Amino acid sequence: MQNDQAGDAKRTSLHGHWSSRMAFILAVTGSAVGLGNIWKFPYIAGQNGGGAFVLVYLICVVAIGMPVMMSEILIGRRGRRNPVATMELLGKEEGSSGHWRWVGGMGVIAGILILSYYSVVAGWTLAYVVKSVSGVFVGANADVVGAQFADFVGNWKAVGLSHTVFMGLTIFVVARGVERGLEQAVKFMVPALLILMLMLLGYSINSGYFGEGVAFLFTPDFEKLTWNSVLVALGQAFFSLSIGMGAIMAYGAYLPEDTSITGATAAVVTADTGIAILAGLAIFPLVFANGLSPDSGPGLVFQTLPLAFGQMAGGVFFATLFFVLLAFAAWTSAIGLMEPAVAWLVEHYNRTRAQASVMIGGLIWALGFGSVLSFNVLAETKFLAGTIFDNIEYLTSNFMLPLGGLLITVFAGWVMCRNSTADELGGSGATYKAWRVLARFVAPIGILIVLINAVT
Ligand code: TRP
């Protein structure tokens, strides 16, 4: 690896794997690290009572998330096509059936539905860039910051506009094709985000309520744990790691033969989980220091972090930088969410990339208004899991992604023959054996148990 000097064209082309391996890890990290870590993880951990939920989440990440991610990558690399075509091809090749393409099809739909609400929250982030620059958070207390949030989401035109801007940016990048710029963006964004999270953590440690925050996140109180919370933790593991819908499968299609799938998975999972935990550690001390309630829902991050920025030196600058970075993180995830649908439309209907991006992006934009209105005009229109936003979120994270993951591990663990998977995972040593036990038994059975108990 040391020999791969940049700028030495000959050696790079001969041993180009280091940069490809890095490119792959960066692309997957860019899709994994997003609103799921900084916005969603803290608020659902808060709603589900903290400690025990976080523990279940971590177990789900290791025991279910990792084998699913490895399965997705190995399927993608073996098929080398878009997820729908890959599942069809491998289904036939492994002596099962082409109907496995429906796993890819469900992923396409899940991506469209997820992005429809994801873009709305990403739009909030854009609006918060503007608010930060304007200085409204300087010296603000919890009431002011809370009112800022309530006024903003209560205004459907403002929320609709920021959702429109975000979808426009996403369509623009997807239409042009992504690779190069994305890699550079992620290289800068993830470390920068990490540094800012550490700064916020420093602030939280000094808030005087750090102990309360840590206790909330890490002291398991199993009384508070219901089967529904377990399902939400499982769904969050899938959502945060971007697995269960074929997005990682699509990235795996470009992975060089000799790259270790296990190593890449470990790197991505560590980065993703680390950033989520950091976000929790930065936010909960602020919640307790300001007498806020941990279960205040999707607005949690937007009602806490501005308080910290409002009180630190250079707060306007750091708040602006933070929300810009968060918008960037959301943007690199949004591209991944849209990609399977666009790739599929291009291949099946012979559309150009630009046409496909505008069509799929337009559909997602329109669907997004269900979530835009869920915080204002239709805030009281509740059914099943709550508002339209709540329902789309619940359905995708807690059913579609786990179901996709279940089918993916059953496919990799039971349908594909041992030789195929051992070939992709680099032999049949201890790591392979561990993966196989997790993919054949632990992940599918675990997912089934959680799904069955949560719905009955
Ligand atoms: N993981 C992303 C986040 O945490 C969201 C996401 C879910 C995603 N599924 C995806 C991103 C598929 C890209 C592809 O914010």
Side-chain angles (χ1 to χ4, degrees), residues 31-37 114 118 239-242 245 247 333 336-337 401:
S31 94
V33 174
L35 296 171
N37 307 64
I114 293 175
Y118 199 84
F239 182 86
S240 192
L241 296 172
S242 305
M245 53 156 282
S333 296
L337 282 164
L401 298 183

Side-chain angles (χ1 to χ4, degrees), residues 366-447:
L367 286 174
F369 276 84
S371 294
V372 166
L373 300 175
S374 293
F375 294 91
N376 35 67
V377 182
L378 300 178
E380 297 312 318
T381 307
K382 293 190 175 161
F383 53 100
L384 302 170
T387 59
I388 297 173
F389 166 90
D390 295 327
N391 276 292
I392 297 182
E393 195 202 299
Y394 200 87
L395 173 75
T396 51
S397 291
N398 303 341
F399 292 105
M400 295 179 83
L401 298 183
L403 193 60
L406 172 75
L407 293 168
I408 286 165
T409 48
V410 166
F411 187 79
W414 295 94
V415 176
M416 288 179 79
C417 70
R418 213 187 149 95
N419 287 343
S420 313
T421 50
D423 186 27
E424 293 299 329
L425 292 178
S428 44
T431 321
Y432 177 75
K433 292 203 176 92
W435 168 78
R436 204 161 145 92
V437 171
L438 292 173
R440 281 166 75 93
F441 302 103
V442 178
I445 294 173
I447 295 169

Side-chain angles (χ1 to χ4, degrees), residues 178-249:
V178 279
E179 274 74 71
R180 283 265 159 229
L182 186 71
E183 200 180 318
Q184 296 308 321
V186 177
K187 244 183 210 160
F188 163 76
M189 176 199 85
V190 174
L193 206 52
L194 206 61
I195 292 170
L196 270 176
M197 295 310 298
L198 288 171
M199 274 183 53
L200 285 166
L201 181 66
Y203 180 86
S204 273
I205 290 174
N206 286 322
S207 68
Y209 284 79
F210 191 63
E212 280 83 343
V214 172
F216 180 78
L217 273 177
F218 295 115
T219 314
D221 174 1
F222 290 100
E223 303 269 287
K224 289 188 190 150
L225 203 66
T226 61
W227 275 108
N228 187 59
S229 323
V230 175
L231 179 63
V232 174
L234 176 70
Q236 174 64 10
F238 275 87
F239 182 86
S240 192
L241 296 172
S242 305
I243 52 179
M245 53 156 282
I248 303 293
M249 205 184 280

